[in-house]
Amino acid sequence: MDGIDKTTLWTVIILLGLGSFGLRFVFTGMIGDRPLPPWLLRHLRYTAVAVLPALVTPLVIWPTGTGGQFDAPRVIAALATLSVGYFTRNVLAAIIGGAASLYGLLYLLG
């Protein structure tokens, strides 16, 4: 049998869609125009900051390009990205600096 069963696939798609709708409805439908408590606003402020590192960290620690083995260029590029971001406070500069260091190190180190 090739791939996933169509019934399973559509079940997963529908459940993920309902879950996504439910999460959005909690904030837009149920809360609506009511003000959020200050403690929740304080925590929500860090959500956007946490998303990019959460997406990138597994790719640095267990890179699929090397079969999950440690890769010095990726770790050095991640550190360079953190450094550029910390000192410049500019997300685009950090992304460009990290990408440049990764591709430069991959070119130099093979």
Side-chain angles (χ1 to χ4, degrees):
M1 182 174 182
D2 292 328
I4 190 170
D5 179 43
K6 286 187 178 191
T7 305
T8 304
L9 174 68
W10 281 107
T11 303
V12 169
I13 290 172
I14 290 169
L15 289 175
L16 286 172
L18 290 172
S20 177
F21 175 78
L23 286 173
R24 287 177 175 84
F25 181 74
V26 167
F27 282 103
T28 58
M30 292 178 70
I31 294 175
D33 291 335
R34 290 182 276 171
L36 295 174
W39 64 268
L40 182 60
L41 290 173
R42 186 174 55 248
H43 291 343
L44 287 174
R45 184 174 35 199
Y46 298 109
T47 303
V49 176
V51 169
L52 190 58
L55 292 172
V56 172
T57 300
L59 298 174
V60 172
I61 298 175
W62 301 288
T64 56
T66 62
Q69 299 298 317
F70 178 81
D71 190 30
R74 284 175 173 79
V75 173
I76 294 169
L79 293 173
T81 304
L82 287 171
S83 299
V84 171
Y86 180 77
F87 289 112
T88 64
R89 303 281 185 203
N90 186 328
V91 175
L92 288 177
I95 291 172
I96 292 168
S101 63
L102 174 63
Y103 289 118
L105 288 167
L106 287 175
Y107 177 76
L108 292 174
L109 300 177

